[in-house]
Amino acid sequence: VLAFTCFALLARKTIAVFGINPDSIKEVSLALLLLFGLVMLSETLSRKFSALTSGLAEVGNKSPIQGEGLVSGMAIGALIGLVWTPCAGPILAAVLVQIIRQETDSAGIAVLLAFALGTATPMLVIALMGRKIIGRIGFLIRHAETMRKIFGVLILFSAGILAFNVDIGAFFTKRAAVPAHINTGLEDALTVPYAAPEIIGIADWLNSPPVSIHDLKGKVILVDFWTYSCINCVRTLPILTAWDAKYRDQGLVIIGIHSPEFEFEKNPDNVKAAIAQYNIHYPVALDNYLAIWASFNNRYWPAHYLIDKTGHVVYTHFGEGKYDVTENNIRYLLGLRDAKTAAAKPVSGSAQTPETYLGYTRAQRFLGTLMQDQPYDYRFPESLPPDSWALSGKWHVGAENITTAEKGAKLRLNFTAGKVFLVLGNADNIPVHAEVTLDGKPAGTVTVDHHDLYKIITQDTARRGLLEITCDKAALQAYAFTFGE
């Protein structure tokens, strides 16, 4: 158990130092759990698996450590712990995700100790009583194949629980009663309110010490999922900061959950700069591992979850708009019964070009073939269909972004919108200048000196246009286009 514990804590620190995304570990661990469950269901696969791993057991047998004393027992136990780790890899990987995602080292150690005790206890029982029990209970011997298959089903069931973030505790915990009036005075209220998940697994807090949903009972809470390079999020920030100033003294607490979409958005300094730029004074949690995103089962930027004074989520809204409905619900929960807020003007039209990602993982509407993770010399097509984009010159296309690999590389987009925004960065931290043309006419220069959302085009009305961006050097990174009226 000690060897196993040291390995797990070392893994936690290693992943934190190198910034590895725990979600990738979770995906691999779930795949291994699935494979391990299938192995246990199949007699043939189990036999082959045993043959492959039998060599690991021989390591312990060939150990130079001898004796039956405490020191020898500890040394052999530590060796077994390390040897056993690869065999238990599928389960260990899933547990490591939970350990890594804990907000503090002490919380991670608590989870680890619980797992270690759960692992060690049956081992101890088997060591002390296993032979005697098996000798007396012939049933286990006669039905060993069936028992193995049952455990295989249990492992597959566990993989499903982890994959879909099912809260097992919710099946055994009685829900707190929801006040009867909850749905009577709210507009677009949830049919079935639910207890708000606690905020844990946060990389850091800005503007505030750690905030707890439990400690805020008696307050009205608005949880806002956002990320600073998302134009839809940015357009909601003035509304949120106005609500914070207007209703904070009335009992409203806004909590910003900054859940990054791109790797550079995990940098606390970048988020601090955005907080200062947009005049945000309410608490902001850095959800770099998307732990809170997952616990709320969220899927959108921005997303608003309104929590009443009893700690229940009673209203949600995803995306921009419906500010009047959200504010009126805030006022109702605060007990303010005076005049309602007027509806705001919509911010986008149905004919507008949709958000367009450029990295190959989510690339959309590219005219041609993207060559992944390598420099390639592209050529513009003779014509570009509406809402599509193309490249000219040498570009390096990565998973999240595209990067210029030479001076004069061009990016072209056929769009319909009043405003065009582009998430940009510079790979070598030296300012990069990009010349912009609209329908063949100069439309300004964009200087990219840090990773952020940049306004590329502003027109009086939404209309179709042909945008072209030419870079003055290599190292310009482009992530995604977004649009507005």
Side-chain angles (χ1 to χ4, degrees):
V1 170
L2 287 173
F4 194 69
T5 300
C6 291
F7 174 84
L9 291 178
L10 178 62
R12 173 180 166 85
K13 289 298 182 183
T14 301
I15 286 171
V17 168
F18 289 98
I20 301 172
N21 188 349
D23 283 336
S24 61
I25 298 176
K26 181 177 179 180
E27 290 170 2
V28 172
S29 72
L30 290 176
L32 289 172
L33 272 177
L34 179 63
L35 177 61
F36 195 57
L38 293 175
V39 166
M40 295 191 73
L41 284 175
S42 168
E43 183 177 358
T44 302
L45 292 177
S46 294
R47 189 165 50 250
K48 290 182 178 180
F49 181 80
S50 297
L52 288 173
T53 57
S54 60
L56 292 173
E58 293 301 318
V59 175
N61 293 333
K62 295 177 182 178
S63 170
I65 304 170
Q66 301 295 330
E68 298 181 356
L70 178 63
V71 175
S72 296
M74 291 288 290
I76 293 174
L79 179 61
I80 292 173
L82 294 176
V83 171
W84 177 70
T85 293
C87 300
I91 298 173
L92 171 62
V95 173
L96 281 178
V97 174
Q98 304 305 320
I99 296 170
I100 293 162
R101 283 186 166 183
Q102 298 307 304
E103 188 169 354
T104 63
D105 282 343
S106 59
I109 291 172
V111 173
L112 180 58
L113 288 178
F115 176 70
L117 286 173
T119 301
T121 300
M123 282 187 166
L124 180 61
V125 171
I126 291 171
L128 296 177
M129 304 173 59
R131 181 172 298 181
K132 187 178 297 184
I133 291 174
I134 291 175
R136 292 182 178 179
I137 306 177
F139 176 84
L140 295 177
I141 298 175
R142 293 193 302 272
H143 299 280
E145 179 74 16
T146 301
M147 295 296 294
R148 190 192 69 240
K149 291 182 179 180
I150 290 174
F151 280 109
V153 171
L154 289 175
I155 289 176
L156 292 176
F157 178 74
S158 300
I161 293 294
L162 290 169
F164 294 100
N165 294 310
V166 178
D167 183 7
I168 295 295
F171 291 99
F172 303 98
T173 303
K174 185 177 180 181
R175 285 182 177 270
V178 180
H181 72 273
I182 248 353
N183 291 326
T184 61
L186 296 176
E187 191 174 349
D188 296 341
L190 296 182
T191 304
V192 181
Y194 58 91
E198 194 50 83
I199 299 177
I200 58 174
I202 295 301
D204 198 3
W205 283 88
L206 304 178
N207 285 351
S208 167
V211 173
S212 165
I213 297 292
H214 179 270
D215 292 342
L216 290 175
K217 283 191 177 180
K219 299 281 189 179
V220 175
I221 306 169
L222 178 63
V223 174
D224 170 46
F225 285 91
W226 71 294
T227 185
Y228 81 84
S229 74
C230 164
I231 184 57
N232 307 96
C233 300
V234 168
R235 284 196 286 246
T236 65
L237 293 178
I239 308 294
L240 292 170
T241 55
W243 289 343
D244 181 47
K246 187 175 180 180
Y247 298 114
R248 177 181 290 209
D249 292 340
Q250 308 283 347
L252 174 68
V253 177
I254 298 178
I255 303 175
I257 306 295
H258 188 271
S259 301
E261 184 174 15
F262 301 113
E263 193 65 28
F264 66 82
E265 293 173 314
K266 296 180 180 180
N267 188 327
D269 292 334
N270 291 346
V271 184
K272 289 177 184 177
I275 287 174
Q277 178 182 352
Y278 298 115
N279 199 31
I280 297 172
H281 298 290
Y282 49 79
V284 175
L286 302 187
D287 187 25
N288 284 355
Y289 297 137
L290 301 184
I292 306 305
W293 176 282
S295 66
F296 273 79
N297 288 318
N298 188 52
R299 296 292 181 271
Y300 308 98
W301 292 278
H304 297 148
Y305 294 79
L306 191 56
I307 303 170
D308 71 357
K309 294 180 180 181
T310 69
H312 289 80
V313 178
V314 295
Y315 167 81
T316 61
H317 178 69
F318 307 114
E320 298 180 67
K322 299 187 74 171
Y323 303 118
D324 58 321
V325 175
T326 304
E327 183 172 5
N328 287 328
N329 285 340
I330 290 172
R331 296 177 66 83
Y332 178 83
L333 294 175
L334 290 173
L336 305 175
R337 302 290 194 263
D338 50 353
K340 290 189 175 183
T341 305
K345 179 184 176 182
V347 295
S348 63
S350 58
Q352 181 175 279
T353 297
E355 184 174 17
T356 302
Y357 291 93
L358 307 179
Y360 64 75
T361 300
R362 292 185 286 177
Q364 302 155 300
R365 296 175 291 280
F366 176 74
L367 199 63
T369 301
L370 291 173
M371 306 301 294
Q372 299 181 9
D373 297 318
Q374 60 179 298
Y376 185 77
D377 198 1
Y378 294 87
R379 293 289 180 268
F380 282 145
E382 293 184 2
S383 61
L384 197 60
D387 303 330
S388 60
W389 59 285
L391 299 173
S392 176
K394 191 169 291 185
W395 289 82
H396 184 281
V397 178
E400 281 194 344
N401 58 45
I402 60 175
T403 305
T404 55
E406 66 177 1
K407 177 181 179 180
K410 300 176 184 291
L411 168 63
R412 185 178 288 176
L413 172 73
N414 189 345
F415 72 95
T416 299
K419 297 181 178 66
V420 179
F421 303 87
L422 180 57
V423 179
L424 293 168
N426 48 340
D428 56 9
N429 295 319
I430 299 175
V432 180
H433 304 285
E435 298 296 328
V436 180
T437 65
L438 178 60
D439 297 329
K441 299 178 182 179
T445 301
V446 177
T447 299
V448 181
D449 54 8
H450 66 287
H451 285 79
D452 209 339
L453 179 70
Y454 291 82
K455 185 183 291 185
I456 306 298
I457 294 292
T458 301
Q459 304 180 104
D460 294 334
T461 59
R463 62 180 182 83
R464 183 163 297 284
L466 187 64
L467 166 69
E468 189 169 297
I469 300 173
T470 305
C471 189
D472 69 346
K473 58 180 292 188
L476 176 71
Q477 296 176 318
Y479 291 79
F481 283 105
T482 51
F483 307 90
E485 289 187 346

